[in-house]
Every structure is written in C-alpha cells, then in structure tokens.
Amino acid sequence: MMSSSKVTDYFSVKKGHESKLSKKPKSQVKHVPKITESQQTDNNKHAEKLHQKQLNVLRTFDMKWEYGPCVGVSRLERWQHADQHNLNPPLAIKKLIEDHSTDEEYTQCVWNSYEL
C-alpha cells in the first residue's frame, strides 16, 4: 500500500509568491476607457456620414461619361476598362470598390437597379 503523502511534503511552499505575480505596479495596469452611449452614437453618426460620402463619390464616378458607359457592368469592370483605355480613372475609386467588394452599394453602378 502507498502511504498518503502530499505534494507539499516534497516541495517547499513559498508564501507570498502568488501575490507578487498578481499585483502589478499602477504604471503597468492598462485602463481601457469605457465608451459611453453618447460616444457610441457619435461613432455611429460618423460612420454613417463616411458611408454616405463614399457612396456620393462613387455616384459621381458613375455620372462621369469620360470613363465610358456604366450600364451593364460593375464599377470595378468600368474602372478597369477606363484604365485599359488610358482614361485615367481615380485610383481612390478602385481602392474604395475593392475595400467593399462584398457590398453591392459599392460594387454596382447607380443604374444597376434599372432594367435595360
């Protein structure tokens, strides 16, 4: 039969060691600021304004006939077509479309919802 023994019989226990690990100096403690409801509302308003500004930029691109026809093609296809024909479409438009490649508001022309 095995004698009942404890781990502490073989290893010494250092008291106070745990408390040193768990306590950090106040200078090392990071405080994460809490977002208030009004700040969250401001963030949402800012995001919505940015979204609308981006869509307005894309609609303006749609209306510029110097980049070729926009009906029946995606904005990115139109941008690439204009680039191939040295019409110098803005790179910011391409980046905006690519950054939102899964959102049809960004990828499709303003005339997309109208039937041909």
Side-chain angles (χ1 to χ4, degrees):
M1 239 186 198
M2 295 185 77
S3 65
S4 63
S5 60
K6 297 179 182 178
V7 171
T8 55
D9 293 341
Y10 299 101
F11 299 100
S12 62
V13 177
K14 293 183 181 179
K15 294 188 178 191
H17 183 69
E18 290 178 19
S19 63
K20 288 180 184 177
L21 290 177
S22 62
K23 292 182 181 179
K24 291 184 178 182
K26 287 186 178 183
S27 63
Q28 291 180 356
V29 176
K30 293 183 181 179
H31 294 284
V32 178
K34 293 183 180 179
I35 296 176
T36 64
E37 196 172 316
S38 65
Q39 289 172 325
Q40 185 63 39
T41 302
D42 289 344
N43 289 345
N44 290 344
K45 286 179 183 177
H46 176 71
E48 182 58 31
K49 283 182 183 179
L50 177 62
H51 176 73
Q52 289 305 318
K53 284 181 181 181
Q54 290 172 338
L55 291 179
N56 283 337
V57 167
L58 292 172
R59 286 184 200 111
T60 302
F61 174 70
D62 291 344
M63 296 299 165
K64 292 188 176 183
W65 290 104
E66 63 207 56
Y67 301 120
C70 64
V71 178
V73 294
S74 70
R75 284 183 172 134
L76 185 58
E77 289 171 331
R78 182 173 184 242
W79 189 95
Q80 291 168 339
H81 183 265
D83 188 49
Q84 288 172 350
H85 290 86
N86 297 320
L87 300 175
N88 301 319
L91 286 174
I93 298 293
K94 181 181 182 188
K95 179 162 178 25
L96 191 56
I97 296 166
E98 289 176 339
D99 287 349
H100 301 277
S101 62
T102 59
D103 188 343
E104 281 195 14
E105 279 189 298
Y106 287 85
T107 60
Q108 297 301 317
C109 160
V110 71
W111 306 112
N112 186 51
S113 61
Y114 296 97
E115 291 186 29
L116 295 176

